[in-house]
Amino acid sequence: MVLKVKKLGVYQYSANYIYKAHVHPEYEINYVNSGRCAIVMGHDKIVLHRGDCVAIEPMQEHSFIVIGAQECQITQFEFRADLPAEAMHSGYNIKMTNCSDILASLNLIRFYYKGLHDADGYYEKLCALEMQKLFLLISMHAQQAVRMYHSCEVAPLNRVLEYIDSHYEQPIELDVLARENHISSRYLRRLFSKYMNVSAVDYITMLRVERAKDLLWYTDDTISEVAIKVGYNSPQYFTAVFKKKTGVTPREFRRCFASDL
């Protein structure tokens, strides 16, 4: 097996860290050890919490954002390899949860790779086997994630999430959304807690704050204009919410981070 590693290790990223949209020819695997982050690919945003993982295929444009005022630590693996094609063509761009076995596999690959040039070649063989195991694990967890997405229990939550993602700038009434999807508002809140690890209100707030960051980074809109575009009629209330979630005001955020773009 020919394995060319660009990055393999544990990396700590500061609060509100941004890595702009980019592409590279390597496969990339990110496992979140602590904190919260998002991988953005086109119009899709995959929010990752502790214990979540995502695999990104080569030449897929993506950006990386640390969400909130806490640091985020990830185990990251960027590489090229000549594994069989069928082993490397499934499980990409899908959020995988409860996958500590993927982390264990990444740690083993890291260990074997350090000794890859041993005289007897055992580490090279072990590394090749572990790489195949890693892609089997990714494929397995990705299929589980897809099945869960389409399950009867999760289907109403997915419809609600799609609505929120498309209408976050408008007033959102969870009771109405629940009724339209033929479930109780209490059950909808339970689904959010079970599958999203946040409350419905926190999810909406998080989404609006992330959209506000985009506007603050890439446009010259005033703070009032940004507030309205992400669903807040009061700039003062928007500023208070933004500071609570990020640790800085929208104006401070623009001043500190816009120059890094």
Side-chain angles (χ1 to χ4, degrees), residues 127-143:
C127 192
L129 287 171
E130 196 61 39
M131 286 292 295
Q132 293 185 49
K133 176 184 172 183
L134 173 64
F135 277 90
L136 284 172
L137 288 171
I138 289 173
S139 180
M140 178 186 73
H141 281 287
Q143 289 181 21

Side-chain angles (χ1 to χ4, degrees), residues 1 3 21 42 59 66-67 70 79 96 101 105 110-111 158 161 167 169 183 198 202 222 231 248 252:
M1 179 195 69
L3 176 64
M59 305 312 296
V66 175
I67 299 174
Q70 294 183 339
F79 64 94
M96 296 171 281
D101 47 1
S105 185
R110 185 183 179 191
F111 175 76
N158 289 328
L161 289 172
H167 299 83
E169 77 284 0
I183 58 176
V198 294
D202 282 343
T222 66
V248 295
E252 290 169 340

Side-chain angles (χ1 to χ4, degrees), residues 10-235:
V10 178
Y11 301 90
Q12 194 85 12
Y13 295 95
S14 60
N16 296 311
Y17 176 87
I18 309 159
Y19 197 101
K20 293 186 292 183
H22 61 287
V23 298
H24 49 69
E26 293 82 16
Y27 292 86
E28 179 178 329
I29 299 171
N30 297 300
Y31 180 95
V32 180
N33 301 314
S34 63
R36 189 170 59 176
C37 64
I39 305 293
V40 182
M41 291 174 281
H43 296 293
D44 297 324
K45 176 177 284 188
I46 301 177
V47 177
L48 304 172
H49 302 76
R50 180 180 179 182
D52 295 342
C53 180
V54 66
I56 304 169
E57 59 188 336
M59 305 312 296
Q60 167 68 61
E61 185 177 78
H62 60 284
S63 58
F64 173 81
I65 303 168
V66 175
I67 299 174
Q70 294 183 339
E71 294 183 338
C72 180
Q73 184 190 87
I74 66 173
T75 296
Q76 191 171 48
F77 187 20
E78 291 184 21
F79 64 94
R80 296 190 197 186
D82 60 349
L83 286 172
E86 63 271 14
M88 305 179 72
H89 284 278
S90 62
Y92 300 109
N93 310 337
I94 298 172
K95 176 180 178 178
M96 296 171 281
T97 61
N98 300 318
C99 47
S100 57
D101 47 1
I102 289 179
L103 176 62
S105 185
L106 291 171
N107 289 334
L108 278 174
I109 291 170
R110 185 183 179 191
F111 175 76
Y112 294 145
Y113 187 75
K114 287 181 178 179
L116 202 59
H117 303 295
D118 64 311
D120 298 318
Y122 288 116
Y123 279 93
E124 182 176 358
K125 294 173 183 177
L126 287 169
C127 192
L129 287 171
E130 196 61 39
M131 286 292 295
Q132 293 185 49
K133 176 184 172 183
L134 173 64
F135 277 90
L136 284 172
L137 288 171
I138 289 173
S139 180
M140 178 186 73
H141 281 287
Q143 289 181 21
Q144 290 174 349
V146 170
R147 282 197 295 270
M148 187 184 76
Y149 181 88
H150 292 290
S151 70
C152 293
E153 181 181 41
V154 181
L157 175 61
N158 289 328
R159 290 194 294 270
V160 169
L161 289 172
E162 289 172 1
Y163 179 88
I164 292 172
D165 289 346
S166 301
H167 299 83
Y168 62 88
E169 77 284 0
Q170 301 173 11
I172 295 175
E173 298 184 28
L174 292 173
D175 291 347
V176 174
L177 285 178
R179 187 164 58 250
E180 290 177 346
N181 285 278
H182 312 291
I183 58 176
S184 69
S185 58
R186 181 178 180 183
Y187 184 63
L188 176 59
R189 288 176 170 83
R190 190 188 310 163
L191 289 176
F192 263 94
S193 177
K194 181 177 180 179
Y195 292 106
M196 303 301 293
N197 297 317
V198 294
S199 70
V201 172
D202 282 343
Y203 178 83
I204 294 170
T205 301
M206 178 184 70
L207 181 63
R208 286 172 169 168
V209 168
E210 290 307 308
R211 295 296 192 265
K213 286 181 181 179
D214 291 339
L215 294 171
L216 291 167
W217 295 333
Y218 298 117
T219 75
D220 295 323
D221 291 347
T222 66
I223 303 302
S224 296
E225 290 170 336
V226 170
I228 292 172
K229 287 183 177 181
V230 297
Y232 295 100
N233 292 325
S234 168

